[in-house]
Amino acid sequence: DDPEKLAAFQARIDAGEKIEPKDWMPEGYRKTLIRQIGQHAHSEIVGQLPEGNWITRAPTLERKQILLAKVQDEAGHGLYLYCAAETLGVSRDELTEMLLSGKMKYSSIFSYPTLTWADMGAVGWLVDGAAIMNQVPLQRTSFGPYSRAMIRICKEESFHQRQGYDIMMKMASGTPEQKRMAQDALNRFWYPSLMMFGPSDKDSVHSSQSMAWKIKMNTNDELRQKFVDQTVPQAEYLGLTVPDPDLKWNDETGHYDFSEPDWTEFFEVLSGNGPCSAERLEARNKAWDDGAWVREGMLAHAEKKRALKTA
Ligand code: ACO
């Protein structure tokens, strides 16, 4: 890239201007955005699976309606994000193929199973809580279509987080068996939620360039710390115990000290060896294959209409 163009581009970013799809941008900026927005979109789509698993088993009609609406919202988030990525010159089909072949990642969290109804609470509270912590700053990201998609997504995510916490409140103040289920869900989802923010800063290959370009607004460790600080008092309010014996408030730093997740497990999940990794990709591949007749029908219909118009 021409150094003068690069400097002018960086000056726009530094001045807080939004970059729009038709503006000049360095190839690296475009590639990083396609990778991050694409991965984010895939996460929304794959993220429907662990919760979709409980729609038919929700304990009441009301809980079922809420869960159904939430899972549909996630589909919508995936679609806005694919549209934002498409403005960078990649098609939704290309992105989908990269997900289905395992070439592109989706968030590690969705490779974990949802074993009980309390997991619906933990997913809403912790997973959507971690997602908002990461996404609120992304509303100010430098790429216009991504930042605008984030504004709507964050509004919906905050409803998702509250519905999760509401399930946790019901479970934690219910029968001893329900409280045990709530604690068990927190035990299983705590560290995987901390992993959502990505590897520790020293192992984050993309952070410094992405932050200079304002594609990312914070480092992985900054957001992880903010999440812990926000979530520990919420666990206390529920009367539940965060599964970290070393967790404690530090007066000097004004933050909680906490144990790092098991990074070996994280990198295993990233390489496709998470507990549900194979199952998730299988489900997405099956949905894509099962939908082939719809895509073919739509194309045939469009072709017929085009032929009629030109006749
Ligand atoms: N799950 C899967 N892969 C991850 C995760 C994770 N939790 N965290 C990091 N990675 C991957 C990165 O994609 C990168 O791999 P790649 O080069 O093959 O793409 C590698 O690990 C190194 O990490 P970083 O250099 O720290 O990567 P990056 O700067 O992209 O930061 C982060 C990762 C924080 C997830 C960033 O991409 C981001 O903010 N994305 C947007 C939000 C998002 O995707 N959320 C999805 C989950 S929330 C939800 O959908 C409900």
Side-chain angles (χ1 to χ4, degrees):
D1 286 325
D2 172 350
E4 257 177 53
K5 272 189 173 170
L6 272 178
F9 178 80
Q10 190 62 48
R12 290 190 64 195
I13 303 260
D14 295 343
E17 276 181 45
K18 291 279 177 255
I19 307 299
E20 295 300 335
K22 291 194 171 137
D23 296 350
W24 183 85
M25 59 184 81
E27 252 336 276
Y29 180 83
R30 184 187 300 279
K31 279 207 182 113
T32 303
L33 277 171
I34 292 176
R35 179 183 63 77
Q36 181 168 317
I37 302 175
Q39 178 177 301
H40 192 166
H42 297 328
S43 306
E44 302 282 359
I45 298 298
V46 177
Q48 294 178 96
L49 296 168
E51 288 178 294
N53 184 33
W54 281 91
I55 291 172
T56 56
R57 290 174 288 168
T60 67
L61 183 60
E62 196 192 2
R63 290 287 183 200
K64 183 173 177 140
Q65 282 175 321
I66 296 171
L67 187 61
L68 197 56
K70 179 197 189 279
V71 173
Q72 281 175 346
D73 285 352
E74 307 294 0
H77 297 175
L79 300 188
Y80 313 146
L81 287 164
Y82 284 129
C83 289
E86 279 187 316
T87 68
L88 292 156
V90 61
S91 74
R92 191 165 132 194
D93 282 0
E94 284 171 285
L95 289 168
T96 301
E97 273 157 25
M98 285 193 272
L99 168 70
L100 297 181
S101 65
K103 271 196 213 123
M104 255 179 110
K105 297 190 168 83
Y106 58 89
S107 180
S108 51
I109 190 71
F110 302 121
S111 286
Y112 289 85
T114 45
L115 303 177
T116 74
W117 173 254
D119 288 8
M120 294 303 94
V123 168
W125 170 37
L126 301 172
V127 175
D128 293 303
I132 316 176
M133 192 56 84
N134 165 282
Q135 290 168 17
V136 163
L138 289 178
Q139 295 177 108
R140 292 178 287 113
T141 192
S142 61
F143 187 56
Y146 191 27
S147 91
R148 291 187 287 272
M150 274 307 131
I151 292 170
R152 174 142 177 207
I153 291 178
C154 283
K155 287 195 178 128
E156 293 177 350
E157 290 294 357
S158 88
F159 151 67
H160 297 170
Q161 201 258 356
R162 280 153 181 243
Q163 71 85 37
Y165 197 69
D166 185 63
I167 294 176
M168 290 307 274
M169 287 212 290
K170 259 280 188 304
M171 299 293 286
S173 61
T175 63
E177 174 62 5
Q178 285 172 316
K179 185 162 183 189
R180 197 193 57 73
M181 283 165 74
Q183 180 64 54
D184 170 61
L186 171 57
N187 292 349
R188 282 180 292 105
F189 276 94
W190 176 253
Y191 287 106
S193 300
L194 296 187
M195 292 176 192
M196 286 176 70
F197 297 96
S200 68
D201 290 352
K202 64 177 175 14
D203 295 320
S204 168
V205 282
H206 302 296
S207 278
S208 60
Q209 180 60 71
S210 289
M211 285 177 67
W213 276 332
K214 296 192 185 160
I215 288 175
K216 264 171 102 159
M217 307 303 287
N218 303 86
T219 74
N220 301 353
D221 287 336
E222 275 167 21
L223 291 175
R224 191 169 10 253
Q225 180 72 58
K226 257 184 113 172
F227 175 76
V228 171
D229 291 347
Q230 173 185 288
T231 309
V232 170
Q234 295 172 348
E236 280 166 3
Y237 183 79
L238 292 170
L240 300 179
T241 310
V242 172
D244 176 358
D246 294 325
L247 179 84
K248 74 171 186 312
W249 178 255
N250 183 329
D251 257 337
E252 270 171 41
T253 59
H255 295 289
Y256 282 95
D257 293 335
F258 61 96
S259 307
E260 295 274 309
D262 175 353
W263 292 117
T264 314
E265 176 182 322
F266 172 75
F267 287 112
E268 271 298 301
V269 173
L270 258 58
S271 25
N273 299 322
C276 296
S277 304
E279 191 183 323
R280 300 294 183 234
L281 275 194
E282 229 173 83
R284 289 314 310 156
N285 271 291
K286 180 173 186 305
W288 181 251
D289 294 344
D290 288 353
W293 69 274
V294 180
R295 292 190 298 276
E296 282 159 20
M298 302 276 285
L299 278 174
H301 182 67
E303 183 55 32
K304 205 162 101 186
K305 276 182 93 175
R306 198 186 56 82
L308 274 177
K309 240 191 206 159
T310 49

